[in-house]
Amino acid sequence: MSIGKRATAEFFGTFWLVFGGCGSAVLAAAFPGVGIGLLGVSLAFGLTVLTMAFAIGHISGCHLNPAVSVGLLVGKRFSGKDLPAYVVAQCAGAVCGAGVLRIIASGKAGFDIAAGFASNGFGEHSPGGYSLLACFTAETVLTFFFLMVILGATDARAPKGFAPIAIGLCLTLIHLIGIPVTNLSVNPARSLGPAVYVGDWAVQQLWLFWIAPIIGAALAGVIYPWLASEEK
């Protein structure tokens, strides 16, 4: 498959992740009477990955996340020459997905993008008021385990055909843990999309949601191959 087609698949997949996941938070989480709440938003993020893994996994591998691409690169599951194209496509998809969401959300009277627009943050911008250290730790650890599940579920020795389910459920689980802390990112592109439109504090705090997930993913890329090695 050409890099152009694979990058395009990553664009659409990341668009879907941001539009579906952040859209559930912005449009449906607190809708009067039938709001889906934290559980619903967590499930929505998991479903975006699960559905896209079945749709484009055979085309691009369905990374949808620069940290995932880096983790797979470190784990020797992905080629470094393809990394720039994947990251650009993922970021572009995230920004476009958030842009379409903004058009829809702004169609309701009283919409205020300054309220957060599902952006990730720490300190006073953490949903639960968690500190910088707590947020950095959460993003690093949760991304590490996300990549461990991805690497394990896609191992040639793992049961065939179930990887999208395991990965989607893992993303749901880590959102259940992390939404109160940072609004949960574990994905630099997902953080970038809303931050572009919110600006101000969301852009200023964006560095954490690039550095911490990439560190966590890279650690998994080192540890999983060692753990799964059949060498004594």
Side-chain angles (χ1 to χ4, degrees):
M1 195 74 69
S2 71
I3 185 61
K5 287 185 177 181
R6 285 183 284 141
T8 301
E10 287 294 305
F11 171 88
F12 285 123
T14 314
F15 180 109
W16 184 235
L17 183 147
V18 172
F19 180 72
C22 294
S24 71
V26 172
L27 304 175
F31 194 83
V34 292
I36 61 175
L38 185 153
L39 177 59
V41 173
S42 299
L43 185 60
F45 271 102
L47 288 172
T48 63
V49 170
L50 188 154
T51 52
M52 271 296 152
F54 280 115
I56 66 169
H58 55 288
I59 300 173
S60 69
C62 193
H63 299 186
L64 317 186
N65 181 339
V68 170
S69 296
V70 169
L72 294 175
L73 173 63
V74 174
K76 299 181 180 179
R77 301 274 194 93
F78 183 58
S79 172
K81 66 182 176 62
D82 294 335
L83 182 63
Y86 268 55
V87 172
V88 169
Q90 291 157 358
C91 290
V95 171
C96 290
V100 172
L101 176 59
R102 182 186 182 185
I103 292 171
I104 296 170
S106 62
K108 180 180 179 181
F111 170 71
D112 180 12
I113 200 165
F117 196 50
S119 291
N120 302 114
F122 56 83
E124 64 179 310
H125 299 293
S126 157
Y130 287 85
S131 69
L132 169 60
L133 178 60
C135 293
F136 194 96
T137 301
E139 288 289 330
T140 302
V141 171
L142 292 172
T143 311
F144 170 81
F145 280 100
F146 187 39
L147 263 292
M148 289 291 283
V149 170
I150 290 172
L151 289 163
T154 58
D155 193 304
R157 296 163 293 181
K160 305 301 180 185
F162 294 99
I165 299 172
I167 295 167
L169 289 176
C170 180
L171 190 62
T172 299
L173 172 59
I174 61 180
H175 272 81
L176 288 171
I177 300 167
I179 286 178
V181 184
T182 63
N183 246 350
L184 209 279
S185 170
V186 303
N187 183 339
R190 173 263 184 269
S191 297
L192 176 67
V196 165
Y197 300 96
V198 175
D200 192 28
W201 65 266
V203 172
Q204 293 170 14
Q205 296 192 350
L206 192 57
W207 63 270
L208 185 148
F209 302 103
W210 277 82
I211 294 175
I214 287 174
I215 290 173
L219 287 172
V222 171
I223 292 174
Y224 180 82
W226 168 79
L227 185 66
S229 172
E230 296 180 356
E231 296 178 0
K232 294 183 180 179

